[in-house]
Amino acid sequence: YMLFPSMAAFGLLLSGTPHPPLAVRVRPTMSLDPADWKLLSRRDQVDGALTLAAAEAGTEAQVVTVTIPRSDDAPSLGLLLDEIATSGDAGIVAVEGLVEGGNGEKATAPLLPGDALVAAAEEGKPTTGVSLEGLPFDSVVERLSSLSSAVGVVVSVKRLVRKPRATVTVRFPEAEGREDARMTLYQGANLRRAMLSSGVALNDPLARRFDAGARA
């Protein structure tokens, strides 16, 4: 069979020549739809902590950390928050927007609609850190209020971004009379596993194989 990538979003090995990955622009989804997220329980957490993850295979959650300046004269974070999902003690609180002229606009990096809050701490004092991940709105506000409003706050969010992908066409020998197979692969995907799951036979059953290992 032969492989033909129609979009080289990441490096592929073709004809024995490695092709380096191309520069890919990561696109945030900027979505406030709770269906784009899923909450997972962590077995290593005895307190029942939850972690946020992307719900779809084509997206991933990236952690973005920014510092928002604050002072006695301007103690507000300057963020418009929205509880996009809640169920009992669990929830998802995301940035809906920024207060015009507020401290949120002065963050060290832009915060975007759909960014889900996961942690916060006083600037320069990591021991004051509080977890915001998987919590409902009231709990998030309560924990943010425990931080001093006279100093900057380091805020971590999870941002949904689309994974780089490539569409690969598999062409078979004409003698087999098989139609081309098309697959969409995301960055980091295992090519062999994807071909097997798509029903592509990788080994000729009539050919001798030499990958069984040496006999003792």
Side-chain angles (χ1 to χ4, degrees), residues 58-137:
T59 59
E60 63 182 351
Q62 291 186 350
V63 177
V64 177
T65 300
V66 305
T67 300
I68 300 176
R70 294 203 293 182
S71 64
D72 287 330
D73 295 331
S76 173
L77 286 174
L79 302 179
L80 301 175
L81 302 179
D82 184 16
E83 184 181 62
I84 62 175
T86 182
S87 177
D89 294 333
I92 304 174
V93 176
V95 175
E96 183 179 18
L98 305 178
V99 176
E100 186 176 355
N103 288 332
E105 292 187 340
K106 303 172 185 176
T108 52
L111 288 170
L112 305 178
D115 288 348
L117 273 62
V118 295
E122 294 175 14
E123 186 178 9
K125 300 179 180 179
T127 56
T128 63
V130 293
S131 175
L132 310 173
E133 191 166 13
L135 296 180
F137 186 85

Side-chain angles (χ1 to χ4, degrees), residues 9 13 17 32 34 37-38 41 56 71 81 102 105 159 183 194:
L13 186 64
T17 303
L32 289 167
W37 292 98
K38 59 183 177 182
S41 60
E56 298 182 0
S71 64
L81 302 179
E105 292 187 340
R159 177 175 298 167
M183 300 176 295

Side-chain angles (χ1 to χ4, degrees), residues 183-204:
M183 300 176 295
T184 297
L185 301 181
Y186 295 101
Q187 185 175 18
N190 184 292
L191 178 59
R192 182 178 186 277
R193 188 176 304 163
M195 294 175 70
L196 288 173
S197 63
S198 299
V200 178
L202 299 181
N203 295 304
D204 186 344

Side-chain angles (χ1 to χ4, degrees), residues 113-164:
D115 288 348
L117 273 62
V118 295
E122 294 175 14
E123 186 178 9
K125 300 179 180 179
T127 56
T128 63
V130 293
S131 175
L132 310 173
E133 191 166 13
L135 296 180
F137 186 85
D138 290 344
S139 297
V140 168
V141 172
E142 180 181 357
R143 295 192 179 191
L144 286 174
S145 299
S146 69
L147 304 176
S148 173
S149 60
V151 297
V153 60
V154 179
V155 178
S156 293
V157 299
K158 282 189 175 179
R159 177 175 298 167
L160 288 176
V161 297
R162 303 187 189 282
K163 291 182 181 180

